[in-house]
Amino acid sequence: MPLATRQPAAKAADLLAWYDRHRRSLPWRVLPGERPDPYRVWASEIMLQQTTITAVKPYFERFMARFPTVEALAAAPSEEVMQAWAGLGYYSRARNLHACAKAVTASHGGRFPDTEAGLRALPGIGAYTAGAVAAIAFDRPAAAVDGNVERVMTRLFAIEAALPGAKPVIREHVLALLPMARPGDFAQALMDLGATICTPRNPACGICPWREPCRARTAGTQESYPRKAAKKAGVTRYGAAFVLLREDGALLVRTRPNKGLLGGMAEVPTSDWRADYELDGAAQDAPFVTRWRKLGTPVRHVFTHFPLELTVLVAKAPATSQAPLGMRFTPRGKLRDEPFPSLMLKVVEAGLAALRPPSSAP
DNA sequence: GAGGCGTGGGA
DNA sequence: TTCCCAAGCCT
């Protein structure tokens, strides 16, 4: 074999040596030699699904202070759990998290299963999270293949197959590299490498512990991995949102159905959200017959699969008003307790600002 | 297997 | 502005 084409094999030891020097300090990560709390590991992994570390940190701290144990979480009312999650997104995670805590408490004596298969059977725990918790919390030799690991592996081995089809191949590569010792550190090291060195754009190949064995780096094509099909943009939907403020300061709100978009979260009443929504007839969709004032600037929000434009309509109601069926007037002082998603925070803020008496210039 | 499912930040 | 995303799961 010609020397020029030979490439050294990637070794777990090189990655672990790098990890020992550059591991990140994170709120859910323990010091070397310490035994992690599976509850904290699990909760952090759920929060980190498709969510940045920056966004998760404050939520994690608050969540752990509010629900210090899996039993405490299991015993909490679901509204409280949803409120603690409000703003983090992907709310089915919170519903499944709560269901998982109840299952662990009721059926496993408050102990998380210490195997991938056992974990995988719990709600909200898929292939990645089962591997991550098994490896990190219990030091099991499990593969935790997330987006970081997919990127590292497709570059390291120049895997041409596109995601998600390439997942099984990637997983095999990870398993082949898994060290006998420190599988938990290996899992975290792989993710740290992907997050800090093997980044999507401008990867720092020059200081990568695997720069020698990396096939993409050798070819200079690292940024073209992983291969994946471009996703199509969604069609903008439109609708009307109704901010009704009672004279005593209470706001008319309701809770969305438990399934689907923003399931189980709070909202002000709105029309349907449709691509062909006709704003002229918005009053027909109002929860209350009154004189609605239409705000000029709509609230814009972008979901994963479609952009949304909600036109806000505002009105005041007499202090004696009763809420329509399925709705409630929440007092001003209790608004913070409502599990409003970010979209609704924008709507409520815009509506209340318009209803406030005009103030003199700042 | 492809689509539903949030949000805020960086290039 | 616009795009892409960031430690995925469920159906």
Side-chain angles (χ1 to χ4, degrees):
Chain A
M1 171 179 293
L3 270 177
T5 64
R6 288 191 61 177
Q7 196 140 25
K11 288 181 303 196
D14 292 327
L15 180 65
L16 286 169
W18 171 85
Y19 182 69
D20 289 337
R21 283 183 290 122
H22 300 291
R23 68 198 299 280
R24 291 177 294 174
S25 173
L26 300 168
W28 45 87
R29 193 174 269 183
V30 296
L31 297 174
E34 289 182 352
R35 171 60 58 186
D37 177 357
Y39 170 65
R40 291 171 63 89
V41 172
W42 161 73
S44 70
E45 289 301 340
I46 303 298
M47 288 187 177
L48 286 162
Q49 288 167 7
Q50 298 291 284
T51 309
T52 60
I53 285 175
T54 304
V56 166
K57 273 183 179 172
Y59 279 85
F60 180 79
E61 307 280 18
R62 284 197 300 268
F63 208 91
M64 287 300 120
R66 194 163 174 179
F67 313 108
T69 64
V70 68
E71 290 89 352
L73 177 57
S78 64
E79 308 82 62
E80 205 175 312
V81 176
M82 299 313 287
Q83 196 281 329
W85 200 276
L88 249 196
Y90 286 132
Y91 299 100
S92 67
R93 292 185 296 173
R95 299 194 298 272
N96 285 330
L97 178 94
H98 199 197
C100 183
K102 288 178 178 175
V104 167
T105 299
S107 307
H108 296 78
R111 303 291 181 115
F112 278 85
D114 62 357
T115 63
E116 264 188 287
L119 290 160
R120 183 71 178 77
L122 291 164
I125 298 186
Y128 161 74
T129 304
V133 174
I136 298 169
F138 301 107
D139 214 28
R140 298 277 185 184
V145 183
D146 70 341
N148 288 308
V149 177
E150 287 170 354
R151 190 167 55 251
V152 170
M153 288 296 133
T154 52
R155 288 172 177 175
L156 185 59
F157 297 104
I159 296 170
E160 301 299 331
L163 288 170
K167 280 180 181 246
V169 178
I170 293 168
R171 180 182 168 77
E172 289 309 311
H173 278 294
V174 174
L175 288 174
L177 281 166
L178 255 188
M180 304 287 287
R182 303 176 64 193
D185 282 346
F186 179 76
Q188 295 177 89
L190 218 38
M191 288 188 275
D192 272 22
L193 186 73
T196 65
I197 302 287
C198 197
T199 51
R201 288 175 300 274
N202 301 314
C205 299
I207 55 173
C208 179
W210 278 346
R211 62 187 172 279
E212 297 297 338
C214 184
R215 300 187 69 93
R217 146 81 162 165
T218 303
T221 57
Q222 53 277 345
E223 284 199 56
S224 71
Y225 298 92
R227 314 278 202 222
K228 58 174 78 170
K231 58 194 76 165
K232 49 179 177 278
V235 177
T236 301
R237 298 179 200 178
Y238 304 85
F242 302 94
V243 173
L244 185 70
L245 190 62
R246 212 165 55 178
E247 295 290 358
D248 62 355
L251 181 73
L252 184 64
V253 305
R254 64 186 182 191
T255 299
R256 293 176 62 87
N258 254 323
K259 295 192 174 199
L261 186 66
L262 306 177
M265 302 299 284
E267 68 175 3
V268 299
T270 79
S271 67
D272 288 340
W273 306 345
R274 292 186 278 102
D276 60 354
Y277 184 75
E278 289 293 346
L279 198 53
D280 290 342
Q284 310 284 330
D285 299 318
F288 228 81
V289 179
T290 186
R291 186 175 182 83
W292 292 97
R293 180 156 66 93
K294 195 178 298 180
L295 302 191
T297 306
V299 167
R300 293 184 167 79
H301 192 78
V302 181
F303 293 105
T304 304
H305 49 305
F306 68 92
L308 175 67
E309 272 192 35
L310 284 183
T311 295
V312 180
L313 290 87
V314 301
K316 287 200 172 182
T320 54
S321 301
Q322 299 293 305
L325 188 62
M327 304 186 196
R328 60 186 177 274
F329 277 106
T330 298
R332 184 175 32 209
K334 297 276 191 184
L335 275 184
R336 290 167 312 165
D337 296 337
E338 291 287 358
F340 285 125
S342 294
L343 162 66
M344 285 300 150
L345 289 180
K346 293 186 201 174
V347 169
V348 170
E349 183 179 15
L352 293 185
L355 284 167
R356 257 192 296 274
S359 61
S360 49

